[in-house]
């Protein structure tokens, strides 16, 4: 139990557990063991070592649970990132297509609205349809 508490996120729970009082841990952990740990015997070296061992086991258990929870959260976040990247790619393709299909007047109007920061309305103005590239007007 001579290892220091680190400020790494995973060790926060371990450090908090380490800060519990010996009397509380010995009463809780002693109830689970076949030979309960009493406070009167805590002054002997063997009893202190036994308590330290139980504390280390409890800290290892907490750390393993924290690591498992973090791994689960990382997997969920990776999946969300993957979905968002796919959605972003789809929107970029849609944006490129819409830019190609828009007339120069529509693009100029859109740029003006973006620069002013306030579109005139949620409904775009009725402009004549773009006949497409290569068509003569």
């Amino acid at each position: 139990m001579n290892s220091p508490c680190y400020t790494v996120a995973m060790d926060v729970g371990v450090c908090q557990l380490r800060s519990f009082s010996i009397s509380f841990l010995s009463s809780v952990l002693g109830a689970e063991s076949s030979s309960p740990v009493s406070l009167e015997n805590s002054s002997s070296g063997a009893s202190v070592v036994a308590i330290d061992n139980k504390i280390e086991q409890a800290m290892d258990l907490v750390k393993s649970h924290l690591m498992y929870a973090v791994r689960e959260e990382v997997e969920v976040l990776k999946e969300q990132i993957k979905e968002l990247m796919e959605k972003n790619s789809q929107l970029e393709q849609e944006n490129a297509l819409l830019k190609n299909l828009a007339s120069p007047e529509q693009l100029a109007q859109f740029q003006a609205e973006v620069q002013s920061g306030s579109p005139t309305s949620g409904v775009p103005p009725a402009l004549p349809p773009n006949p497409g590239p290569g068509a003569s007007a």
Side-chain angles (χ1 to χ4, degrees):
M1 271 240 343
N2 294 334
S3 60
C5 277
Y6 296 101
T7 57
V8 178
M10 287 305 302
D11 290 338
V12 170
V14 175
C15 289
Q16 288 174 348
L17 180 62
R18 190 177 300 221
S19 68
F20 284 136
S21 68
I22 296 290
S23 61
F24 176 75
L25 283 176
S26 65
S27 65
V28 170
L29 296 174
E32 296 176 358
S33 67
S34 59
S35 60
V37 178
S38 65
L39 292 176
E40 300 86 47
N41 293 336
S42 66
S43 62
S44 71
S47 180
V48 170
V49 169
I51 291 172
D52 285 350
N53 287 339
K54 288 190 181 244
I55 291 171
E56 288 293 331
Q57 289 173 354
M59 290 189 313
D60 288 344
L61 183 62
V62 168
K63 189 172 184 175
S64 66
H65 283 291
L66 286 172
M67 290 295 289
Y68 178 76
V70 167
R71 284 187 188 112
E72 276 188 348
E73 186 67 20
V74 165
E75 290 302 316
V76 168
L77 292 173
K78 281 182 179 179
E79 186 63 31
Q80 287 178 346
I81 289 170
K82 179 182 172 188
E83 290 170 3
L84 289 171
M85 288 177 72
E86 289 172 358
K87 180 72 174 176
N88 187 44
S89 175
Q90 176 187 358
L91 290 172
E92 285 176 347
Q93 290 174 356
E94 182 180 331
N95 188 32
L97 176 66
L98 290 173
K99 280 183 179 179
N100 286 335
L101 295 177
S103 68
E105 295 86 15
Q106 290 171 324
L107 288 174
Q109 181 182 6
F110 177 74
Q111 286 297 332
E113 288 177 0
V114 168
Q115 289 174 356
S116 70
S118 59
T120 55
S121 69
V123 179
L127 291 176
N130 186 10
S136 60

